[in-house]
Structures are given as C-alpha cells and as structure tokens.
Amino acid sequence: MCDSSSDAPCSGSQPTIDPTKYERKRVPGMCVKCKVAKPNVTIRCSLYCKECFVRTCIVKFRTATNRSRKSTATPRTKLMVALSGGPSSSAMLSMMADFQRMHIKGTAAQPLYDDVVAGHVDESALFPEAKESLIADIAESAGVKFMSAKLEDVFADDGEASAFAKTIDEAAGVSQEVKDRIYARLVKSDANVSSKERLKAFFAGLTTDTDREEMLDVLKSLLLVRLARKEGCGVLLMGDSGTRIATKIVSLASRGRGFSLPFEVGAESTWFSDVVVYRPMRDFIMKEIGFFNRWTAQKTVVVPTFTTAAPARASIGRLTEAFVVGLDQDFSSTVSTIGRTMQKLEPQESARDALPCLLCGLPVEHNAQEWKSRLTVNRSADAAALPCPSKSTDSTDRCSENNAQTAADVTRLLCYSCQGIVHSAAPDTVFPGANASSYHNSQEDLRRQIEMFFIDDDE
C-alpha cells in the first residue's frame, strides 16, 4: 500500500510525462517544419522554407479532398475540376491530378475517382482579350481531359422557352404594390439573333457593374453544373480560395443572399442533388497560392471581369475585396476568422425544400417579396392602374387582354437578390432563366390535368 506522505511514486503507477517533451519547438530564424533550413516565406506569422511549404500545401489539399470523399454518398464517380485559368484553379487542378495519379500507381491501384475532367466556361464573347487557348494548355499539361462550354450557351436554342423578358418597368403613376412586383413573359430563341448577341444585350441591360459581376458568377456556376451533368460527373470542385470566400461572404450577405449563402460558399454544397460541389481550396489564402504556383512552375492566365483595373468603388464585390485584403494585411487572421464563422452556418430546413430561383437556380426564401417591400424605398405614387407593357395605342381592354396572355407575375419565383437585379434592369431585357422551361412545363402539365374539369360557357 502506498504511503501518501511519501514523495516516492507508488509501484505500478504511470510515470509523470513532461507536457513540453513532445511540443514542436521552434528554432528562431529557421523553418517551422524542418527547423534546419532558412525560411523563404512567411504565412500567418509562420516561417517556411521552399520545400516544406510546397509539401505543406499538398498535404493540406489532400486532407481536404479526403474529407470530402468520406462525405460523398457515391465516392466512385467521375470528378470535374472547374478551371478558369486563374492561380487558384490552376493550382487545384495540378494537385488533384497528382493525387489521382498517386493512387493509381499505389499498391492498392485504387484511384480516387473513376476519372478527372477539367471543365471551363469560355467568356470570350464578353471579354475578347481572354486567352482561352492557354487554358486548354493548362489542362493538357496536367494530363486530364478538357471540356469547355461557351457563356452564350445559356441562350442556346434548345427548342424550349428557356428565357424570360422583363415586360413592365417601374414608372410614375404606378401603385406601390404594383411597383414591388415583377412581370415577365417567356421567350423562345430567335433564329435571327445569335446567342452571343443575346448575351451582350443581356449584360448591356443591367445597370450596374455589381449586377453584371453577380450575374456573370451565377451563369458560370450554372454552366459548370450543366457541364458536369453532361459528362456524368457526380462531384464538382470549385477553386474558391479562402480570400475569395471571405470576400464573397461579405459581398453576398450585403446583396441579400444570406438565405442561400451556405450553398454558395460552403465547403460542401448538396443543393444540386445529382452534383455535389466541394471547395478544397478554402483553407488557402491567395499568398499561399501565389508562392505555390511560383515554386512549382504552374501556368496561369489573367481572368478578366467587368471591374478589372477599376477603382475599389466600381462594385460591391470590388469594394469588399479591397476591404478584406487590406484588413488581412494588418491582421493576418481576418480571412480565416471569416471562413470559420461561415462554417458554423447551416442551411435552414426550409431552404432544402424551397423552390429554385427562376434566374440563379438557388433556393427562394418564403415571403422574400414582402421583406423587400418593407425594407426598400421607392417613389410614392397614388394611381393603382397597371400600365400596359406594350407601347401600342390600342384600347384599354385590348391592353389588359395582352397583359393576361403574355405577362405573368414572377416575383415569388425570384430570390431576394435577383428581384433587385430584375427591378433595376432596363425594360424588355431578356434574362436567361435557369428554370424558366421547367416552370413553363409544370404549368402546362397542371393545365392538362385539370382541363377535363373546365366548364364551357355554353353549359
């Protein structure tokens, strides 16, 4: 029996372990990993040599990828890497291709995915200076199949009403209730107008660079998901870096996209049931990606946008980017703090069962139109008459009849942010509807189902 008054340890008891024995001690002025090499870069107050830094980036990416695979319902599927040619997507494609080849050459000969494909959206219709040929070279150097979709494909002629046009503009003499609503009509493709011309006219109809940037991101995301479905890919990797995600969190929330925020910037998005979206680069800041590409000789191209080389106040996204990047330079934990805060957010239960937005395809919050009516300031008006969308001089009865046949109230089919975009757009602007044809078909199916119960006037 042990004597509690004695300092000698009891026989059979565990020896006391010094808590500092296995601590990773830092050597001043040396790499935090190997502790023998001179540092070449400082990341979040930590010093790294060139070799340890590259190895750390690869391990971080593979950890994020393995974490995503474990949560995938069917891990054995094809994977598409979204490739824009920018620094983040180029680095992601290189590390993903190497990770796939490593598993193929391993002892188990079990690849991560059935195949890896690079998906790209060609934006040359809006930005002729974009170097699209170099992006295909990036995919070729990584040894993966390259697939591309043109941005104007959102207006492609598929034989269905896949777009809608704004038919009623806000005008003086319209009641507050009417001005808060959006009326549109379904539009079919016109053989006399090319998809590229419709795309240019669409962006010309948007009034601010903020709206143009938002719609550009929306269309590219929809086309990438569509391209992944076409290639049979069940997983889509997006190259949003931690800096980019922090910027998007602030800018999207300020534009009223808080309801769909977990689906747009979350580490894993299952909003598209047949395509799971992952963002494995969310733990990388832009400084890390820049040094990784430089030391591994990755090819990159400049991806132009509407606010390239513009001042910080050109758009909300550009202003938010300048704010977050500037703040992160003085406080290195800014980006990671915003990202960790975002990870705590979970989609609402109502969001998972919500209808998709007619324009962006993301969930529509219930009573979003009522929220917008209470929070926005519009011009006051006394008249309650609905103006005719046509500028013809027909009679009032004829005008009302045309309204009923061609225009429909689509306010409740748009999310909060898209309502603002459509409201501020020029009259008769044709929007690419992500779900316009599906809504149209559902209405036609419903009409056919209840048509037998209609009573004719003669009866």
Side-chain angles (χ1 to χ4, degrees):
M1 187 172 182
C2 298
D3 185 4
S4 60
S5 62
S6 175
D7 294 335
C10 299
S11 58
S13 62
Q14 295 294 332
T16 303
I17 299 176
D18 184 5
T20 62
K21 181 178 180 180
Y22 297 101
E23 284 185 355
R24 183 176 295 178
K25 297 181 180 180
R26 299 192 178 190
V27 179
M30 293 298 177
C31 173
V32 69
K33 288 290 185 180
C34 64
K35 303 177 182 60
V36 294
K38 292 287 186 180
N40 299 103
V41 64
T42 303
I43 302 295
R44 295 192 179 101
C45 301
S46 297
L47 304 177
Y48 294 92
C49 65
K50 179 179 177 180
E51 291 75 13
C52 291
F53 173 77
V54 173
R55 191 180 305 113
T56 300
C57 290
I58 295 175
V59 171
K60 185 191 300 185
F61 176 81
R62 292 179 179 179
T63 301
T65 303
N66 283 329
R67 190 186 308 120
S68 301
R69 287 184 68 247
K70 292 179 180 178
S71 61
T72 305
T74 56
R76 293 305 309 277
T77 182
K78 293 176 65 176
L79 175 139
M80 175 170 286
V81 179
L83 178 64
S84 65
S88 183
S89 63
S90 299
M92 179 178 63
L93 177 63
S94 174
M95 289 188 284
M96 187 66 238
D98 290 341
F99 200 14
Q100 175 80 352
R101 285 192 291 266
M102 184 196 72
H103 275 257
I104 293 177
K105 296 178 180 179
T107 56
Q110 182 78 8
L112 282 173
Y113 296 95
D114 292 341
D115 194 12
V116 176
V117 182
H120 172 67
V121 177
D122 187 346
E123 306 173 42
S124 58
L126 294 178
F127 310 104
E129 67 275 14
K131 301 178 180 179
E132 298 294 335
S133 60
L134 297 180
I135 300 177
D137 295 339
I138 295 175
E140 183 180 356
S141 61
V144 299
K145 180 182 178 182
F146 178 74
M147 298 299 299
S148 178
K150 295 183 179 295
L151 189 62
E152 57 266 28
D153 288 347
V154 294
F155 288 107
D157 185 8
D158 55 1
E160 297 181 354
S162 57
F164 65 95
K166 177 182 177 182
T167 59
I168 297 177
D169 187 28
E170 294 181 355
V174 184
S175 67
Q176 181 74 26
E177 181 181 358
V178 170
K179 290 167 62 177
D180 288 336
R181 296 191 175 277
I182 300 171
Y183 291 84
R185 56 185 172 83
L186 291 174
V187 178
K188 290 188 177 182
S189 300
D190 187 357
N192 298 325
V193 182
S194 64
S195 299
K196 184 179 294 186
E197 292 175 348
R198 298 182 73 180
L199 180 70
K200 292 181 178 179
F202 163 62
F203 279 97
L206 303 180
T207 55
T208 65
D209 285 336
T210 298
D211 293 345
R212 296 186 185 98
E213 282 188 336
E214 181 174 352
M215 287 311 307
L216 180 61
D217 290 340
V218 165
L219 296 184
K220 289 195 294 185
S221 298
L222 292 175
L223 286 173
L224 286 171
V225 173
R226 186 187 303 178
L227 190 60
R229 288 170 176 164
K230 181 180 178 181
E231 292 298 316
C233 298
V235 177
L236 175 63
L237 296 188
M238 305 291 281
D240 294 325
S241 65
T243 307
R244 172 64 175 162
I245 288 178
T247 301
K248 291 180 67 174
I249 290 173
V250 180
S251 62
L252 291 176
S254 65
R255 295 202 297 261
R257 287 195 173 272
F259 187 68
S260 60
L261 196 61
F263 299 110
E264 295 191 69
V265 296
E268 174 185 349
S269 176
T270 57
W271 171 248
F272 304 101
S273 57
D274 53 344
V275 178
V276 183
V277 179
Y278 293 119
R279 297 175 177 85
M281 302 296 289
R282 61 179 297 112
D283 295 328
F284 293 81
I285 61 175
M286 287 306 300
K287 182 179 180 180
E288 291 178 277
I289 297 173
F291 276 98
F292 176 84
N293 289 340
R294 178 182 178 183
W295 287 337
T296 57
Q298 299 296 328
K299 298 179 181 179
T300 60
V301 298
V302 177
V303 182
T305 183
F306 293 102
T307 56
T308 301
R313 296 186 178 182
S315 66
I316 292 179
R318 181 72 182 85
L319 180 62
T320 306
E321 179 184 12
F323 170 73
V324 172
V325 173
L327 193 61
D328 191 67
Q329 292 178 352
D330 298 329
F331 305 95
S332 58
S333 61
T334 299
V335 170
S336 59
T337 300
I338 298 176
R340 286 196 302 268
T341 304
M342 172 58 208
Q343 291 178 2
K344 300 177 182 178
L345 299 180
E346 293 290 339
Q348 299 182 18
E349 291 298 329
S350 59
R352 302 183 185 276
D353 301 328
L355 291 174
C357 177
L358 189 65
L359 184 55
C360 68
L362 292 170
V364 177
E365 185 178 9
H366 182 62
N367 293 330
Q369 189 267 337
E370 285 77 4
W371 274 95
K372 188 174 182 64
S373 300
R374 289 197 299 265
L375 298 178
T376 54
V377 178
N378 291 318
R379 297 185 303 268
S380 60
D382 297 325
L386 180 66
C388 179
S390 175
K391 295 182 179 180
S392 62
T393 58
D394 292 351
S395 63
T396 305
D397 295 338
R398 179 67 177 275
C399 175
S400 301
E401 182 181 355
N402 290 338
N403 254 343
Q405 292 179 356
T406 61
D409 185 0
V410 297
T411 310
R412 298 184 181 278
L413 305 182
L414 296 172
C415 65
Y416 184 93
S417 179
C418 290
Q419 287 185 28
I421 294 176
V422 178
H423 259 305
S424 61
D428 297 325
T429 300
V430 179
F431 289 82
N435 299 280
S437 59
S438 61
Y439 279 116
H440 177 69
N441 294 335
S442 62
Q443 292 175 358
E444 292 295 329
D445 294 339
L446 180 62
R447 180 177 180 83
R448 284 193 295 268
Q449 292 176 11
I450 65 176
E451 194 171 14
M452 61 181 347
F453 300 102
F454 288 166
I455 300 177
D456 296 333
D457 295 337
D458 298 337
E459 299 179 2

